[in-house]
Each structure stands twice: as structure tokens, then as C-alpha cells.
Amino acid sequence: MITARPLPPTGARLTRAAAWVMGLLLAFAVLPAVVQPTVARADNPIVQHVYTADPAPLVYNGRVYLYTGHDEDGSTYFTMKDWRVWSSADMVNWTDHGSPLSLATFSWASKDAWAGQAVQRNGRFYWYVPVTNRATGRMAIGVAVADSPTGPFRDALGHPLVENGEFDPTVFIDDDGQAYLYWGNPNLWYVRLNADMISYSGSPTRIPLTTSGFGTRTGDANRPTLFEEGPWVYKRNGLYYLVFAAKCCSEFIAYSTAPGPTGPWTYRGTIMPTQGGSFTNHPGLVDFKGNSYFFYHNGALTGGGGYTRSVAVEKFSYNADGTIPTINMTNTGVPAADTLNPYVRQEAETIAWGSGIETEPATEGGMNVGWIDNGDYVKVKGVAFGRGASSFAARVASGSSGGTVELRLGSPSGTVVGRCAVPNTGGWQAWTTVTCPVTGATGTQDLYLRFTGGSGYLLNVNWWQFTPAS
Ligand code: FUB
């Protein structure tokens, strides 16, 4: 049976070649100093099927959870309606957890799902986000809560946590348990959060924006310091860091340090220079599996720009004195922090690079990969086959005449180690499991699930798993 298929979202679908062409254009038009890598090495930006912005990473239970905004396709302003969650155990393969938080979560919000941050406390997850309060027309900070890092999130209060017309919240919990909420543009504010994380004590306090604390901006009498927006506060080896988007526009990323969570702050300089085809940038820093990572956004995808941004990540090392080196944007991404086990169930939406695909919520739970045309593929990096695999199973559905899942190693045209035929299953969410034999998959490899078939959409994939050779 052939069933109708809804149209996919437009915009962020791209091929690796298209991404490379875009990178080349950016290299000449916007970034003359940045050498764009070859197609085969590109793994930044880390999500290719939707535009993402304002990264906020959180390390929890052996994974990095990445909370982002979502720029709408074809956007000509910060037209943002929901937030997205992604996670990874290796920093290169990212699982799409969909959108567990949107403007609709906050009955009092009208628009502007802008830059937020989620933190964990006592096994609960608190996501602080700026939105416009419908009643006042001003930007306010809301807080959503969930029992899992991937949600579902619900409005913790039913009204703003705090509102003064400014935005971009970041939350830091000090070693003594005191939590602080910082936010602001054009000012910079903090308030002490109570242990419940959804109320505060005292009044919002303005952090003095001095040039010694936040650098000197020239040409704007109203804003004498470099602080623009997007604060990110954390502590390392007893030193407090406040990383922020500096100067406008275009922004760069700078930072200040202090002996305590409320200052006094000392300006320390640039982390990431103005680069990347987006006039905003936004920092998020974490340590994970022994390395330090810097998340940011740029306009590197096809159709990308200041309102159609994408999150990327770079690995870095702190200098011995705790200062942060200059970090440049790359298309190469970071080395894998771990390998991926193909002998346990892997979600199809765990992706290092997707070409032509989209994702959607699956009726069986989680997300599935869909809108697959002939020649589309999903790359999964660092798959540890070890001594070898004997078979492959995939949970699939098709409302058309189906297609084939080719298992290739090293590249989309690399050695084929298996081919699984997918029939029509009676619908795009009518799931069945197909299996096929595998030969020649040994060692640690980049695996490509390449999809082939006729015209139109072929099939959906929910998850896959290999069986080891005995
Ligand atoms: O994404 C909307 C706004 O752009 C954010 O709140 C700012 O930090 C800037 O990235």
C-alpha cells in the first residue's frame, strides 16, 4: 500500500558537497583568514537537518546534553518558537531528542524562544529561558522543570521567574550549594536562587560594567564595555569565569574572571574572534571525558546566516595559569571522545553527519530518521566492530515501495558490508524489523547508512543494531 507522505521541513537539508560549497563561499566572502577543510573532514556544525543556535551543554551521567535554540527555516529575524535537546557520549555522534520545550510550554509567553541554559540539581533538570511576556511585552526569564535531561519539561511557575526586559539567562551552582542566575543585555544582572531553583532571595543586582571588568568598546557611548549578551558562568580550580558575547555587531566571544561568583571581574580578552557568517555568537563550555570543549554558533550550513545559525564545537586546553587560548571555528569538529558500540541498540537519529535526511517523533518513542530519498545517508563515527559483525537489524517503516539500507565503511561510496531490503510496511510509522548478513565489518570504522531506491521518499529508520560474529 502506498500512503501519502507529508512534505518535509524546508531549508536546512543539505548535502556534504553543498555544505562545502557554502564553506568555500564563506571563506572568500566572510572569512578570508579561515581555511575551510575538505568535504571528507567536515563534522561541524554538529547538527545538519535543522538550524540550531545558542548552545548550552550539560554533562550528566556520562553524556553531554546540549540544549539549543532553533532558528526557523528562511528566518529573517530571531524567529524562534522552540528549543531542542541533543546528546552524545562521544562528542561526535549526536542523538536528536526533539523539542521538549517550546513557547507553548509557557502560557504567558508570546514569542522569542531565545538563549537559555539547563542545569541539574538533585536529579531534576531546570531549564531557564528568555521569552517575551505577552502581558507586558517585555523579555522575561521563565523556568521549566523535568525529571529527565530530555524532558518532558513543564513550566515550573506559571509566570516569569524574573522580569526586567533583559534576557540570556545562565545559572551557576557554587560548591557551597548557592545557585546564581545571571542574565542581561544591555546590562548584566545576577540574583541568588533558592535551593528549590525556582525562586530567589534578595533583589536582582546589577553587575558593574566597568572597562577593567569587561573591556573597552569604542564608538558606542551608551555601551562603554564589550559585554553584549550571552553570559556563561562557571568555576574552575577556584577561579570564576564569565564568558560572553562581546561587542555588536558582529560579535566575538570574550571572558572575564573573578575570585568570587559576584566579582570583582577582570577582563581577560578574546576567546573566539569574529568569524563564521553569523553576526551573533554564543558560548557554552564544559569538560567531558578528560577534555575541555567550547560550543558556539555560526552560519555555516546551506542557507545559513545571522538568523539561520548552527551550533558547532571545538576542543581546547586551558593554559597552565587558567587562561583560555584563542579558539577558531573549524569545519573539522572534534576527535571522538569514545567509540560507539554497534552491538547494542543505537537510535537512527544518533548522527555524526546526515545528508538529506530529517527527523520526527516516532510512534514507538524517541525520534526516527525520515524523509529519506535515494542517495541520502547518515554517518556514524567511530563504530567499534572489533573482531567483526555477522548481521544487521534495523527497525524500519515505509509508506511507499521501500528501498535498501546499504552499510558502507569509511565514506558514502565506501566498501559495502551489508545490504538490507526494506519493503512497504503499510505506513511511515508501521514499524517492522529487517535483518541482513554482514561481512567485512571489523575494527573501528566510520559507518555510513546509505539509502537507495526509486524516486520519492523511501523509508524511515527508528533504530539499528549489529550482531557480533561468534
Ligand atoms: O538567539 C537569539 C539571541 O541571539 C540570543 O538570545 C542571543 O544570545 C543571540 O545569540
Side-chain angles (χ1 to χ4, degrees), residues 53-54 71 78 80 113-115 130 167-168 229-230 245 251 280-282 297 309:
D54 303 324
D71 284 339
F78 299 114
M80 305 170 79
W114 287 3
F167 50 93
D168 282 5
E229 58 185 1
E251 294 173 347
T280 66
N281 198 350
H282 197 100
H297 68 222
R309 299 162 290 178

Side-chain angles (χ1 to χ4, degrees), residues 439-457:
T439 51
T442 58
T444 296
Q445 308 270 357
D446 291 348
L447 170 69
Y448 288 74
L449 306 181
R450 184 170 180 271
F451 309 102
T452 59
S455 60
Y457 300 125

